[in-house]
């Protein structure tokens, strides 16, 4: 169970970081590591908040 959560955390972090970096490179021509990491971190926190709420609503 914990292993699955760690894999989801790592995968989501990589996915969001690459998406943010791609967006910044394509539309702003400037990729800042600080912006990529902070935005990816916020997205992963949002993902886990959504997973927590979904689990609470499913189990009652």
């Amino acid at each position: 169970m914990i292993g699955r959560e760690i894999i989801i955390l790592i995968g989501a972090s990589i996915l969001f970081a690459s998406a943010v970096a791609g967006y910044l490179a394509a539309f702003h021509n400037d990729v800042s590591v600080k912006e990529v990491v902070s935005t990816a971190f916020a997205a992963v926190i949002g993902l886990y908040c959504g997973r927590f709420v979904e689990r609470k609503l499913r189990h009652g």
Side-chain angles (χ1 to χ4, degrees), residues 17-55:
S18 64
V20 170
Y23 168 78
L24 289 174
F27 293 108
H28 297 284
N29 294 326
D30 183 32
V31 179
S32 168
V33 174
K34 179 183 172 188
E35 289 180 13
V36 170
V37 171
S38 64
T39 306
F41 179 73
V44 170
I45 295 298
L47 175 79
Y48 271 90
C49 288
R51 286 172 53 95
F52 177 75
V53 168
E54 185 266 334
R55 286 179 185 166

